[in-house]
Amino acid sequence: RLLEKTGHVKVWISYAQFEGSEVGKGMEEARDVFQRAYNQLKEEDLKEERVLLLDAWRALEKQKGSSPDKIAKVEAAVLAGKS
């Protein structure tokens, strides 16, 4: 419900991190949340917020021991967003 009131990047990050935690639905759901957030922030042309989101996404992927290709995909997006 909070996302309906505000699309703030910190709310998206918290939501995704929750889904990726032991009590959430898992990493696939977390990735879906991150992707939806990224799409919304891109649509709103919020570049700094997208970089924050991608940094949090990359950290979660590394923390959860995701496959190298999933981490590389996020890292490529981070690098593209910072240039």
Side-chain angles (χ1 to χ4, degrees), residues 2-54:
L2 187 56
L3 281 173
E4 292 172 6
K5 295 180 181 186
T6 176
H8 196 275
V9 66
K10 290 184 180 182
V11 176
W12 279 110
I13 291 170
S14 294
Y15 179 30
Q17 289 172 335
F18 170 78
E19 291 297 359
S21 72
E22 293 75 30
V23 294
K25 295 179 181 175
M27 279 303 292
E28 287 305 315
E29 182 66 23
R31 288 183 190 105
D32 181 56
V33 171
F34 275 124
Q35 189 63 58
R36 289 188 337 227
Y38 183 84
N39 294 343
Q40 179 182 328
L41 296 171
K42 186 173 184 176
E43 186 176 299
E44 295 174 12
D45 199 31
L46 299 172
K47 294 178 184 178
E48 291 179 24
E49 289 83 350
R50 284 197 325 257
V51 171
L52 289 172
L53 181 87
L54 290 169

